[in-house]
Amino acid sequence: MELLTQISEALQQGNEELVHQGTQQAIAEKIPPKKILDDGLIAGMNAIGERFGRHEVFLPDVLMAAKAMVKGMEPLKPLLIRDDVPSLGKVVIGTVQGDLHDIGKNLVGIMLKGAGFEVVDLGKSVSPEKFIDAAVNENAEIIGMSALLTTTMSVMKKVTELRKQKNLQGKIKIVVGGAPVTKEFATEIGADGYAFDAANSVACVKQLMGHA
Amino acid sequence: MRRMSVLLDRLKRREILVADGALGTMLMGEGLQAGDCPEAIVLSRPKLLLEICDLYLQAGADILQTNTFGGSPLKLAEYGLQDQCETINRRAVELVREVAGTKAYVSASIGPTGKILQPYGDTAPAEVEQAFERQLKAILSAGPDLICIETMMDNQEAEIAIRTSKKLAPQTPVMATVTFEDSARGFFTMMGTDIRHVASSLSAAGADIVGSNCGNGLEKMLRIARELRNCTELPLAIQSNAGMPISQKGKLSYPETPEFFKKHVPELIHAGVSIIGGCCGTTPAHIQAIKEIVLARARKVTE
């Protein structure tokens, strides 16, 4: 089997050791770092994301794959920085103010990173101002918001309103998701995208950034 | 103790008991703000809890739940309230007892810690066990009739809670309910465990009653109940939410009405469910609707 495919397979199995070894071997074989990232690590995360979307694998499998990805990135990251390889884009994510649930949001972060995006995780109970300020300061193209509670999903609207006030509509796009959030709700509050699950958030962000 | 064994005996005789409905969404209607700790209400607005509890008792609930869902120190720590763990949990049980007396069972709620267990997450099982032990000791000191471990998304976490409860109070019945997600391949927990494995894991850990709560509405709950019935001999409990919330002009509402519940409750009973109550979005009117069906059935049985 080709080395990069092996890395992808090992990543999907959550085998940190094999992913780390494979990546080092690929570097030693002078495979371009960008290619190792795209066809090895990202290919593996994409595959696991798709299988997650089809309920063939579950949260534990994704978490283990993400750990393997981190392991593979260790030797690769300095080389990507050296080669000045750009990321697909920058996404600021967080759970909205008043909501302390972060399993879903963390999963979105894993999926986006796994797809090659730069992710700035603002954590839980993030205020509307903090979302907007972070996106501006970090020069992020996208804000991703999560809510698990029906009471906190209304905070999402405050963020879309604040964006409007600051005239940032063209610059920053907003994606929302979480158990009680629906496509209709996303449209109603003026969000640009709705992600029905963590795997779908990647497709949604890609589409908004014109990568799809 | 006497009241406890009575509860399980009643279920064994195929009596149907009605549990109460939502507390969280009711509290929100009463001004609980997003970001407030729901369990802190026990200390700040005990009268409100007594009132809601009484509404459910009047609606016909046989089982009344305490406001201790997020009462584990791990969860309370998110609000900086971990030091209040003992006071909140003990007081919450006492409040429900004030309303229930001997007319209804006091069921002490225990929800997930919100942590993911190792190796997938970074929390050691022992840490979760300590948290549940602290919460359970406080709860048990006030003498609840039942421990209700609910909305669990990882059956391993549920197992830890069940085992800890049985270790501390072997005679107190434990009910454990899990939340499932529907997929083209059937129902699974967030961690990817199917109904059969959940049922065997909960009963092996020592649960006296197993079931499902929250979820995506009553019709899916019916499918879950039927599957559970095929997997275990234990009494079943179903506490469904009133469907998924719908947003209309910024106001949220739950689509499944008390009438809708009335229509589907007979099917739940037919599927072999022994405890029927509500979760998010249900109200005393939903519980009353369930009670009417249950009473009608009881009359039919005696006739």
Side-chain angles (χ1 to χ4, degrees), chain B residues 12-67:
Chain B
K12 237 175 247 161
R13 291 197 300 267
R14 273 302 283 136
E15 202 176 320
I16 311 289
L17 297 180
V18 179
D20 62 7
L23 181 60
T25 42
M26 291 279 285
L27 289 174
M28 282 149 193
E30 292 291 336
L32 176 73
Q33 293 296 311
D36 294 348
C37 173
E39 288 72 27
I41 299 267
V42 168
L43 305 179
S44 64
R45 296 177 74 187
K47 268 185 86 178
L48 175 60
L49 286 175
L50 291 173
E51 280 165 26
I52 294 175
C53 213
D54 194 54
L55 288 176
Y56 280 124
L57 181 71
Q58 300 308 325
D62 304 298
I63 297 170
L64 296 172
Q65 196 101 314
T66 62
N67 183 28

Side-chain angles (χ1 to χ4, degrees), chain B residues 47-179:
Chain B
K47 268 185 86 178
L48 175 60
L49 286 175
L50 291 173
E51 280 165 26
I52 294 175
C53 213
D54 194 54
L55 288 176
Y56 280 124
L57 181 71
Q58 300 308 325
D62 304 298
I63 297 170
L64 296 172
Q65 196 101 314
T66 62
N67 183 28
T68 51
F69 180 79
S72 76
L74 276 176
K75 200 80 194 156
L76 290 173
E78 299 191 334
Y79 304 92
L81 294 174
Q82 64 276 24
D83 293 346
Q84 311 263 355
C85 172
E86 280 71 25
T87 327
I88 288 175
N89 282 288
R90 189 188 163 88
R91 189 76 191 110
V93 176
E94 290 169 352
L95 285 174
V96 178
R97 177 62 74 198
E98 269 183 50
V99 176
T102 52
K103 294 189 289 267
Y105 298 106
V106 178
S107 166
S109 166
I110 292 186
T113 58
K115 308 285 179 199
I116 295 180
L117 294 173
Q118 289 167 351
Y120 312 115
D122 51 15
T123 305
E127 199 186 331
V128 169
E129 186 182 333
Q130 277 166 18
F132 284 141
E133 181 156 340
R134 214 178 128 193
Q135 183 182 13
L136 274 159
K137 276 183 177 160
I139 281 172
L140 289 164
S141 73
D145 299 315
L146 172 72
I147 302 294
C148 176
I149 295 156
E150 59 178 349
T151 329
M152 285 289 166
M153 291 170 275
D154 179 355
N155 58 292
Q156 275 179 284
E157 187 178 354
E159 275 189 34
I160 294 173
I162 297 166
R163 289 213 166 91
T164 309
S165 182
K166 284 296 176 187
K167 182 183 82 182
L168 296 172
Q171 301 302 318
T172 304
V174 172
M175 170 161 120
T177 58
V178 168
T179 301

Side-chain angles (χ1 to χ4, degrees), chain A residues 63-102:
Chain A
L63 294 174
M64 295 312 273
K67 283 188 180 181
M69 171 121 187
V70 170
K71 213 69 188 153
M73 283 302 280
E74 277 174 16
L76 202 57
K77 205 161 189 180
L79 303 179
L80 292 168
I81 293 169
R82 183 200 65 194
D83 294 355
D84 215 7
V85 174
S87 77
L88 280 186
K90 210 179 220 182
V91 187
V92 166
I93 63 167
T95 308
V96 297
Q97 194 159 41
D99 206 319
L100 295 164
H101 299 87
D102 63 355

Side-chain angles (χ1 to χ4, degrees), chain B residues 126-283:
Chain B
E127 199 186 331
V128 169
E129 186 182 333
Q130 277 166 18
F132 284 141
E133 181 156 340
R134 214 178 128 193
Q135 183 182 13
L136 274 159
K137 276 183 177 160
I139 281 172
L140 289 164
S141 73
D145 299 315
L146 172 72
I147 302 294
C148 176
I149 295 156
E150 59 178 349
T151 329
M152 285 289 166
M153 291 170 275
D154 179 355
N155 58 292
Q156 275 179 284
E157 187 178 354
E159 275 189 34
I160 294 173
I162 297 166
R163 289 213 166 91
T164 309
S165 182
K166 284 296 176 187
K167 182 183 82 182
L168 296 172
Q171 301 302 318
T172 304
V174 172
M175 170 161 120
T177 58
V178 168
T179 301
F180 294 99
E181 293 169 31
D182 196 10
S183 83
R185 296 178 51 242
F187 287 102
F188 293 94
T189 65
M190 179 184 78
M191 301 303 275
T193 315
D194 64 19
I195 290 180
R196 177 165 299 276
H197 284 92
V198 166
S200 64
S201 128
L202 300 180
S203 62
D208 301 290
I209 303 158
V210 297
S212 183
N213 75 311
C214 214
N216 304 306
L218 210 48
E219 280 164 311
K220 284 188 179 175
M221 276 303 193
L222 182 61
R223 286 168 48 209
I224 292 172
R226 285 178 180 141
E227 265 195 64
L228 271 170
R229 188 68 296 162
N230 288 330
C231 302
T232 176
E233 301 281 309
L234 292 175
L236 298 184
I238 293 289
Q239 295 188 275
S240 176
N241 63 8
M244 291 304 278
I246 306 168
S247 164
Q248 274 170 328
K249 300 201 172 68
K251 270 203 84 177
L252 287 175
S253 63
Y254 285 80
E256 296 183 2
T257 60
E259 288 67 39
F260 183 89
F261 266 53
K262 222 175 198 173
K263 189 173 147 220
H264 289 286
V265 164
E267 296 167 282
L268 279 180
I269 295 174
H270 187 71
V273 180
S274 299
I275 295 179
I276 304 172
C279 202
C280 311
T282 56
T283 63

